[in-house]
Amino acid sequence: MLPARVLAVAPLALVVLALSGCSSWVCTDTTAKRGTAGARVEIVHTYGQRLGVTVEAVGWRLEPHPQEPSRGDKVHFDYRFEGAEDESGPAVDACAVDKKRVALGCQTIHSSEAWPEPDGTRTGDDWLAVEHPERVAGVLFVPNDQSYDRRTCETDVKDGGGTHPPEPATVGDQL
C-alpha cells in the first residue's frame, strides 16, 4: 500500500505534467477507412455510424458546360440527398468513374448546397471535369462524411486528435 503522502502528491504531479506540455501523449490522430462507393450510398460519420442520410446519383450526361462550351464535354450529374438537415449536413465525394470503377474526376458536394424539395429531399446538380470524358461509365459517391474537419494533434495538441475522414477521392483511385 502506498503512503498517504504519495497518494496526495500524485494528482498534483499529473497537473504539472499536463501544464508543462507533456500531455501530448494523449492526443492521437486516426483516419477512417474509405467506404465502398456506389450510385446510392448511406452516409457514415468518421466513426462509422450511419447518419440516416443517403445520397443518390439520379442521372448524368456528357455535355459542354454552358459557361465554357469551348472546353468540350464535362460530366453533368444530378443528385438527391434524403434525410439531410436544411442548414448543415454531410458532404461526400462524387466521382466520375470508368468501367473498372477508377476515378476520372472527383469533388466534394455538400447537402447544404442542394435545393430543398417539398418531399423533404434535397436535390442538386454539379459538373466534373475529366481528361477523357469518353471513358466515363458512371458517377459514384464515397459514403464517408467529409463535412467535419477536426483539428489534428499537429495543429492543436490540447483539442485536436480523434478520427478524421479519409483523404478525399482523387483521379486514379480505385473505388
Side-chain angles (χ1 to χ4, degrees):
M1 188 156 190
L2 295 173
R5 209 179 261 177
V6 171
L7 292 175
V9 174
L12 180 61
L14 290 174
V15 168
V16 169
L17 284 173
L19 292 175
S20 68
C22 294
S23 64
S24 64
W25 60 273
V26 298
C27 189
T28 58
D29 286 315
T30 57
T31 302
K33 182 180 175 189
R34 183 180 292 164
T36 303
R40 178 182 169 89
V41 295
E42 187 170 0
I43 302 171
V44 295
H45 189 271
T46 53
Y47 297 103
Q49 75 258 27
R50 295 180 174 134
L51 298 179
V53 179
T54 59
V55 61
E56 176 181 16
V58 293
W60 68 272
R61 59 221 163 268
L62 295 175
E63 59 189 6
H65 191 286
Q67 295 173 342
E68 301 174 319
S70 64
R71 292 194 162 196
D73 284 342
K74 300 198 181 318
V75 180
H76 187 193
F77 67 100
D78 301 299
Y79 57 89
R80 176 178 51 237
F81 283 92
E82 295 175 11
E85 297 175 11
D86 291 344
E87 296 301 314
S88 64
V92 294
D93 290 335
C95 297
V97 297
D98 66 12
K99 290 180 185 177
K100 294 182 180 179
R101 296 173 60 105
V102 173
L104 302 172
C106 299
Q107 69 182 32
T108 302
I109 61 166
H110 297 260
S111 63
S112 60
E113 295 174 357
W115 301 287
E117 300 293 339
D119 65 358
T121 62
R122 298 183 69 81
T123 61
D125 70 306
D126 218 323
W127 299 80
L128 292 165
V130 298
E131 190 172 337
H132 298 284
E134 71 279 0
R135 291 178 39 203
V136 175
V139 173
L140 301 179
F141 296 103
V142 178
N144 303 84
D145 182 13
Q146 293 286 344
S147 67
Y148 185 64
D149 189 19
R150 157 180 258 139
R151 290 177 278 199
T152 64
C153 292
E154 184 177 297
T155 59
D156 189 343
V157 173
K158 181 178 166 278
D159 297 321
T163 304
H164 304 279
E167 289 297 317
T170 60
V171 173
D173 286 355
Q174 178 72 51
L175 302 178

